[in-house]
Amino acid sequence: MADPKEGGVVKKGHEEGLKMATTLLEEYGLPLGLLPLADVVEVGFVKSTGYMWIVQKKKVEHSFKMISKLVSYDTSITGFVEKKRIKKLKGVKAKEFMLWPPVSEIIVENPPTGKIQFKSLAGITKTFPVEAFAAGQ
């Protein structure tokens, strides 16, 4: 099987990695606060396939206050980025009651409704206001 990282642009270190992750979110019309990363080791992106990977030193749990939602970001996060959507996402979980179902897809509604959808492999779909994921939330 071909290496999905082949031909990718890679940024090492927190500053450079974070800058690249933010630029990707912006470029593809996704909210900038979607990936609250800490201690980034590496961020990579393959333009031709949309494959993105993020490696951070430790797991991050972030509470999105506006929607009272706790989200866990693993040390390794991967997915395919396209316009207003991340699919086949791995390494991100959102707390639902007592469970942490993995989030498999994130979609900003198009035409814009101001809403963003999170789909899990467990068949759960949640919709929230996009501004809940603005930078600094």
Side-chain angles (χ1 to χ4, degrees):
M1 195 169 126
D3 179 3
K5 296 180 178 182
E6 201 173 310
V9 175
V10 179
K11 297 290 184 199
K12 302 265 188 194
H14 186 71
E15 291 285 303
E16 291 297 307
L18 199 58
K19 197 184 294 173
M20 183 173 175
T22 305
T23 302
L24 276 176
L25 291 173
E26 201 165 30
E27 199 177 312
Y28 287 90
L30 295 157
L32 299 186
L34 206 52
L35 300 168
L37 306 170
D39 287 333
V40 174
V41 176
E42 173 180 300
V43 174
F45 181 64
V46 182
K47 185 102 177 157
S48 59
T49 59
Y51 183 74
M52 165 201 76
W53 69 94
I54 297 167
V55 179
Q56 46 184 2
K57 283 185 192 147
K58 57 181 190 291
K59 231 168 96 163
V60 173
E61 283 192 1
H62 182 81
S63 179
F64 289 96
K65 308 255 183 308
M66 190 189 271
I67 54 170
S68 310
K69 185 61 67 191
L70 188 61
V71 181
S72 161
Y73 297 85
D74 227 322
T75 52
S76 173
I77 299 164
T78 62
F80 290 86
V81 183
E82 49 191 57
K83 197 82 187 132
K84 302 217 175 272
R85 144 188 271 175
I86 301 174
K87 57 186 198 190
K88 294 187 182 166
L89 184 63
K90 289 188 170 79
V92 178
K93 296 178 176 151
K95 191 161 190 192
E96 265 323 307
F97 310 112
M98 302 307 283
L99 303 171
W100 287 88
V103 177
S104 60
E105 193 168 359
I106 299 173
I107 305 158
V108 173
E109 292 186 354
N110 203 8
T113 56
K115 301 279 184 220
I116 185 166
Q117 282 185 355
F118 292 79
K119 294 184 177 182
S120 83
L121 295 171
I124 301 167
T125 299
K126 293 279 181 187
T127 304
F128 300 107
V130 171
E131 67 262 22
F133 301 94
Q137 279 298 321

